[in-house]
C-alpha cells in the first residue's frame, strides 16, 4: 500500500510538474525582454487543447506514426522513474540502471526520429539528420558524465551514484552537463524552440506533421526530458546524501528552479550558433565531463 | 594544504590551455595566455616561504607575462587590425582534442617517470608537459604570426612550470634572464608583425615561405 502511494506521488511529481519548466523559461525570457509573456501554465492549456483535437494522418504514414510518440513518452517516463528524486530515492533501482537510463533516452530519440520520417517529408528528414548528428556528440558527453559519477561513487546504480559529493570535479561536471542539457533539449545555442523557419529548425522540424494527442505526448515528453536533465544536473553537483531529507528536497527544488532560470537567461542573452560552431561547443562539453572523470579517477588514487 | 592550492592553480592553467586551443578570437587567446602567466607568477609564493627574492620573481613574472607582453601583443594586433584566426592548419576541434589527449596522456604517463617523492603527488610535471604540448600545437597549427607568438609564450609557460621543480636550486638570475629574453623577443616580434603586414598585406606566415625575385 505504501509503495503504491509512493509510486502515485512520484508519477504525479513527474507528470504534473514537468510542463511547468517551459512556462518558467518563457516567463524569464519575457521578463528579460520587458514583455509580459504567456502565462506560466501555458503548456498545460496547450496540452489540454491538443488532447481534445483529432489526428491528421498522412496517407503515406504507417500506424507507427501514432504509436512511436507514445513509445517515446513511455521511454522518457521510465527513465524518469529510474532517476532518484532527492530524499524520495528512485522508484526502481538496481545495479547498472544508469545504462538502462542512457538507453531509454536513446530509445526515445530513435522513436522520435523514426516517427518524423514516417510522412516522407524532406524537411523532417533534414531536421532528423541534424538532431541525430548533434545527439552523437551530446551523448558522448553524457556518457562521460555518467562514468565520472560512477567512478566517484564506485557504483553503477543511479540512486547511489548521485548521493556522494563530487569534490573538485563538480564545477566541471556542472558546466558540461548544462551544455548537454541545452543540446539534448534543443535550447538556444543549438536550436531555437521558437523558430519556424524551415531551414533552421531542428527539433521543431521533426514534429511538424504531428497533431492532436500524439503531439501532446511529444510536447509533454520534451518537458519531462527537460525536468529529467535538470534533476540530474542538480543531483550530480549537490551532495544530496549529506543533507537532511527536508533540506535535500528544498535544495533539489531550488536547484531545478535555478537551472530553469539559467536556461531562460542563456536563451535571452545568447543567439543560436552557426551549425559549424556547434561541434566545438559539444566537444567542449565532452571534454568538461571527461576532465571531471579524470578528477574523480585521480582524486580516488591520491 | 599548499599542495592542494598549487594543484588547483595548475588545473586552471591546464584549462586555459584548452581555451587557448579552442578559440578563434585573438583577444581571447591573448587573455588566456596572460591569465596563465599571472597564475604561474603566483605559484612560487605558494611553494616557498615568501622572502624578497621569491616575491621579486613573482612580481616580475606577473608584470611581464600578465601585463607587459600581452599589452604589446594587443598593440601589434591593433596596428595590423586582425582579430581572428580564420584558416588554421589544424582545425579548432582537432586541436582541442589533441590538447585534451595530450593532457590526459601527460597525467597518465607521469607516474612512470622517476620523480622525487615530494613531486610525485603534484600536478607540476603533467601540467608542464601539457602546456608545452599546447604551445607546440599552437605553433604548428596556426597561420597568423600573433597566434604563433602566443603559442611560443604558452610553450615558455610550460618550461617555466618545469623550472618551478628546481625553484630551490635555480638562481634568481636565470629566471630574470629568461624573462628578459622573452620580453625582448616579443618586443621585436611586435615590430616584425607590423613589417610583415606592410610587406605582404597579410599576417599569414605561409606567405613568408614563397620566394620573390
Amino acid at each position: 500500500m505504501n509503495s503504491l502511494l509512493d509510486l502515485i506521488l512520484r508519477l504525479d511529481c513527474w507528470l504534473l510538474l514537468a510542463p511547468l519548466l517551459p512556462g518558467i523559461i518563457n516567463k524569464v525570457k519575457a521578463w528579460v525582454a520587458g514583455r509580459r509573456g504567456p502565462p506560466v501554465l501555458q503548456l498545460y492549456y496547450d496540452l489540454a487543447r491538443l488532447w481534445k483535437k483529432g489526428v491528421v494522418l498522412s496517407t503515406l504514414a504507417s500506424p507507427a506514426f501514432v504509436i512511436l510518440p507514445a513509445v517515446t513518452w513511455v521511454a522518457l517516463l521510465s527513465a524518469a522513474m529510474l532517476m532518484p528524486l532527492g530524499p524520495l530515492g528512485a522508484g526502481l533501482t538496481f545495479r547498472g540502471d544508469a545504462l538502462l537510463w542512457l538507453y531509454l533516452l536513446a530509445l526515445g530519440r530513435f522513436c522520435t526520429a523514426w516517427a518524423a520520417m514516417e510522412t516522407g517529408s524532406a524537411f523532417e528528414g533534414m531536421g532528423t539528420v541534424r538532431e541525430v548528428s548533434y545527439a552523437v556528440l551530446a551523448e558522448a558527453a553524457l556518457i562521460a558524465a555518467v562514468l565520472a559519477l560512477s567512478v566517484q561513487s564506485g557504483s553503477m546504480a543511479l540512486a547511489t551514484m548521485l548521493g556522494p559529493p563530487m569534490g573538485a570535479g563538480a564545477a566541471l561536471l556542472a558546466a558540461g552537463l548544462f551544455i548537454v542539457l541545452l543540446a539534448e533539449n534543443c535550447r538556444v545555442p543549438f536550436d531555437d524552440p521558437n523558430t519556424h523557419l524551415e531551414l533552421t529548425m531542428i527539433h521543431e522540424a521533426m514534429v511538424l506533421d504531428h497533431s492532436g494527442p500524439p503531439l501532446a505526448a511529444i510536447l509533454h515528453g520534451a518537458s519531462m526530458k527537460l525536468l529529467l536533465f535538470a534533476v540530474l544536473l542538480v543531483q550530480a553537483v549537490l551532495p544530496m546524501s549529506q543533507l537532511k531529507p527536508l533540506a535535500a528536497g528544498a535544495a533539489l527544488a531550488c536547484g531545478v528552479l535555478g537551472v530553469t532560470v539559467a536556461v531562460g537567461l542563456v536563451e535571452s542573452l545568447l543567439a543560436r550558433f552557426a551549425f559549424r560552431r556547434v561541434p566545438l561547443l559539444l566537444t567542449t562539453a565532452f571534454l568538461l565531463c571527461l576532465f571531471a572523470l579524470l578528477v574523480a579517477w585521480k582524486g580516488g588514487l591520491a | 594544504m599548499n599542495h592542494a592550492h598549487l594543484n588547483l592553480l595548475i588545473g586552471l592553467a591546464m584549462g586555459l590551455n584548452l581555451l587557448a586551443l579552442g578559440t578563434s578570437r585573438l583577444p581571447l587567446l591573448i587573455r588566456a595566455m596572460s591569465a596563465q602567466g599571472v597564475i604561474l607568477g603566483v605559484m612560487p609564493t605558494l611553494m616557498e616561504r615568501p622572502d624578497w627574492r621569491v616575491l621579486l620573481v613573482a612580481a616580475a613574472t606577473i608584470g611581464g607575462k600578465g601585463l607587459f607582453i600581452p599589452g604589446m601583443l594587443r598593440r601589434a594586433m591593433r596596428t595590423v587590425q586582425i582579430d581572428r584566426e580564420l584558416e588554421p592548419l589544424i582545425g579548432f576541434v582537432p586541436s582541442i582534442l589533441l590538447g585534451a589527449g595530450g593532457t590526459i596522456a601527460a597525467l597518465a604517463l607521469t607516474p612512470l617517470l622517476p620523480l622525487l617523492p615530494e613531486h610525485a603527488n603534484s600536478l607540476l610535471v603533467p601540467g608542464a608537459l601539457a602546456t608545452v604540448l599546447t604551445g607546440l600545437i599552437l605553433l604548428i597549427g596556426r597561420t597568423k604570426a600573433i597566434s604563433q607568438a602566443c603559442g611560443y609564450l604558452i610553450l615558455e609557460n610550460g618550461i617555466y612550470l618545469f623550472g618551478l621543480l628546481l625553484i630551490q636550486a635555480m638562481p634568481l638570475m636565470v629566471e630574470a634572464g629568461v624573462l628578459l629574453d622573452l620580453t625582448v623577443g616579443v618586443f621585436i616580434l611586435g615590430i616584425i608583425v607590423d613589417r610583415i603586414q606592410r610587406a605582404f598585406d597579410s599576417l599569414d606566415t605561409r606567405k613568408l615561405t614563397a620566394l620573390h625575385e
Side-chain angles (χ1 to χ4, degrees), chain A residues 272-296:
Chain A
R272 61 179 288 175
F273 285 172
F275 280 131
R276 58 189 178 78
R277 278 184 64 199
V278 166
L280 185 61
L281 191 59
L282 282 174
T283 312
T284 313
F286 170 61
L287 288 180
L288 284 168
C289 294
L290 194 67
F291 276 83
L293 172 61
L294 210 62
V295 169

Side-chain angles (χ1 to χ4, degrees), chain A residues 168 277 279-280 283-284 286-287 290-291 294 297-298 302, chain B residues 18 22 25 92-93 96-97 100 103-104 107-108 111 121:
Chain A
R277 278 184 64 199
L280 185 61
T283 312
T284 313
F286 170 61
L287 288 180
L290 194 67
F291 276 83
L294 210 62
W297 174 49
K298 279 276 158 188
Chain B
L18 295 183
R25 289 154 200 254
F92 297 107
V93 174
I96 204 173
L97 283 177
T103 308
I104 293 168
L107 281 170
N121 253 337

Side-chain angles (χ1 to χ4, degrees), chain A residues 56-67:
Chain A
V56 181
L57 276 180
S58 154
T59 47
L60 277 175
S62 70
F65 185 65
V66 181
I67 300 168

Side-chain angles (χ1 to χ4, degrees), chain B residues 13-205:
Chain B
M14 286 160 133
L16 287 169
N17 282 339
L18 295 183
L19 180 66
L21 284 174
T23 180
S24 64
R25 289 154 200 254
L26 293 183
L28 190 58
L29 178 57
I30 294 175
R31 208 168 297 145
M33 191 262 303
S34 68
Q36 201 177 40
V38 171
I39 290 174
L40 260 52
V42 173
M43 274 181 210
T45 59
L46 286 177
M47 296 178 74
E48 286 281 287
R49 257 187 315 106
D51 63 348
W52 67 271
R53 282 183 36 183
V54 174
L55 285 180
L56 197 67
V57 171
T61 313
I62 292 174
K65 287 186 178 166
L67 298 173
F68 187 60
I69 292 175
M72 276 194 302
L73 281 177
R74 276 196 201 102
R75 231 187 105 242
M77 198 179 68
R78 263 201 307 277
T79 28
V80 297
Q81 292 180 336
I82 282 181
D83 65 347
R84 288 286 181 98
E85 170 83 43
L86 281 180
E87 33 189 28
L89 294 175
I90 304 176
F92 297 107
V93 174
S95 54
I96 204 173
L97 283 177
L98 268 178
T103 308
I104 293 168
L107 281 170
L109 297 181
T110 304
L112 303 180
L113 296 176
L115 294 177
L116 287 178
E118 66 254 39
H119 295 144
N121 253 337
S122 153
L123 280 178
L124 264 180
V125 176
L129 288 173
T131 313
V132 167
L133 192 79
T134 306
L136 275 178
I137 296 171
L138 280 176
L139 273 172
I140 298 167
R142 301 291 189 258
T143 54
K144 298 282 182 293
I146 293 179
S147 357
Q148 289 178 352
C150 285
Y152 170 64
L153 288 163
I154 289 177
L155 183 82
E156 202 283 327
N157 281 349
I159 297 169
Y160 176 91
L161 265 178
F162 256 131
L164 284 183
L165 287 176
L166 304 174
I167 190 161
Q168 279 99 350
M170 191 137 97
L172 180 64
M173 284 312 290
V174 178
E175 295 271 350
V178 169
L179 203 59
L180 196 66
D181 274 358
L182 201 66
T183 315
V184 173
V186 175
F187 192 69
I188 294 171
L189 200 114
I191 301 168
I192 288 181
V193 160
D194 194 30
R195 288 291 165 86
I196 298 176
Q197 171 77 1
R198 266 189 233 165
F200 293 89
D201 274 338
S202 146
L203 268 191
D204 195 333
T205 46

